[in-house]
Amino acid sequence: NPYILATLLFGLGLGTTITFASSHWLLAWMGLEINTLAIIPLMAQHHHPRAVEATTKYFLTQATAAAMLLFASTTNAWLTGQWDIQQMSHPFPLTLITLALALKIGLAPMHTWLPEVLQGLDLTTGLVLSTWQKLAPFALLLQIQNVNPTILVTLGLASTLVGGWGGLNQTQLRKVLAYSSIAHLGWMILILQYSPSLTLLALLTYFVMTFSTFLVFKLNKSTSINALAISWTKTPILTSLTPLVLLSLGGLPPLTGFMPKWLILQELAKQDLAPLATLAALSALLSLYFYLRISYAMTLTMSPNNLTGVTPWRFSSPQLTLPLAIATTATISLL
């Protein structure tokens, strides 16, 4: 029903906007709750057991994170008499709130729900979950100052490593994308303390690249690596561009995905954190391996000629092609 869909999407936008505009913890919490409640029907709209299971898992983790956030902000108000997001000074609620927001966006070691949930959804809702749902918690993370830097660096490094290792032995594309999301979020959190504008840049480029990747898989109607092998017969032009999109996600120059990684490594080196920068750069190699594997499965193997049920590529859906063209071009050539 278009009315219900419009209402839910409006709720999704409203929740994020409320969190963006809030300077009071209660209002921020309210925005996050509206956001969660709006996406849950969207996730469960295909009444498939996997979708319902994913929705339940998502609901439980988000409710836990929101409860943690509420508890931490109340504790902060009790200890300091302040409800203001900017004015947080006590280390205990600060740490708790950082961990609650990390659980909300799926940073390691609170990441285990993300691949499971993403695997149960269709690609469109998965895209919303991977991009839009990260905005509100990030707005809060950017606003809280004087968090212990060790916590953020530990979360960030753990996420890049987990995102790299976790994606290595996956055959399902949505799980690979979930681990890729964890790794990218790790890079963003790594630099959050030292240069918030770089975090925003990384978030923006991640959005563009993820958008384009999800659209490619949607146009191919493929959800596993095996299904990619026959994409030559479905969309030849797209198939030849996809490796570039994937390598951009992996952060290879001269593609767009290299830009945030380059600047983040530079900033870390400026802050005298050379060992950290080295570890982060090495963890990016892990991600690069599984992106390469997907590109290999998609373009460097001969496709088996089973043309049954393959639609001619010229008749692909027109409402996808324009956003896809824009996103792909941005992913490949923004650097």
Side-chain angles (χ1 to χ4, degrees), residues 141-321:
L141 275 172
L142 284 166
Q143 281 184 74
I144 48 178
Q145 273 103 28
N146 53 32
V147 186
N148 185 355
T150 325
I151 295 173
L152 286 179
V153 163
T154 312
L155 283 173
L157 202 56
S159 298
T160 55
L161 288 167
V162 163
W165 271 314
L168 286 181
N169 53 357
Q170 299 298 333
T171 56
Q172 298 294 324
L173 292 175
R174 283 166 295 187
K175 277 193 178 169
V176 169
L177 285 168
Y179 281 110
S180 131
S181 165
I182 294 167
H184 278 276
L185 290 172
W187 279 87
M188 292 169 216
I189 294 296
L190 215 48
I191 200 67
L192 189 67
Q193 202 68 53
Y194 309 106
S195 169
S197 50
L198 268 186
T199 299
L200 279 176
L201 176 77
L203 190 65
L204 207 64
T205 47
Y206 163 72
F207 275 15
V208 171
M209 296 185 299
T210 309
F211 191 68
S212 128
T213 317
F214 267 98
L215 285 185
V216 166
F217 293 156
K218 195 172 164 51
L219 209 61
N220 266 333
K221 298 186 179 60
S222 48
T223 51
S224 72
I225 292 186
N226 284 346
L228 285 178
I230 53 167
S231 53
W232 267 119
T233 48
K234 298 181 192 168
T235 49
I237 298 173
L238 201 57
T239 311
S240 47
L241 278 176
T242 312
L244 289 174
V245 172
L246 289 164
L247 292 180
S248 181
L249 262 173
L252 224 60
L255 305 164
T256 310
F258 176 57
M259 176 171 52
K261 285 196 166 73
W262 183 19
L263 294 169
I264 286 172
L265 290 175
Q266 187 184 354
E267 183 62 36
L268 286 174
K270 268 185 201 160
Q271 301 284 349
D272 281 342
L273 296 169
L276 188 65
T278 314
L279 269 172
L282 287 174
S283 72
L285 290 176
L286 293 165
S287 307
L288 196 59
Y289 174 77
F290 60 78
Y291 294 129
L292 269 172
R293 203 180 69 188
I294 297 178
S295 332
Y296 181 76
M298 197 163 177
T299 53
L300 299 175
T301 45
M302 286 293 290
S303 76
N305 293 318
N306 56 343
L307 296 176
T308 49
V310 172
T311 50
W313 58 274
R314 285 182 298 280
F315 303 123
S316 61
S317 53
Q319 72 270 22
L320 271 185
T321 39

Side-chain angles (χ1 to χ4, degrees), residues 94-155:
L94 262 174
T95 308
L96 208 54
I97 273 180
T98 312
L99 290 176
L101 292 170
L103 176 61
K104 261 205 175 299
I105 54 179
L107 285 169
M110 283 81 77
H111 66 282
T112 37
W113 60 273
L114 186 59
E116 297 291 325
V117 167
L118 208 58
Q119 181 55 34
L121 307 177
D122 68 319
L123 289 167
T124 320
T125 325
L127 175 62
V128 174
L129 187 68
S130 304
T131 54
W132 186 258
Q133 290 299 90
K134 309 264 188 265
L135 282 172
F138 250 100
L140 294 176
L141 275 172
L142 284 166
Q143 281 184 74
I144 48 178
Q145 273 103 28
N146 53 32
V147 186
N148 185 355
T150 325
I151 295 173
L152 286 179
V153 163
T154 312
L155 283 173

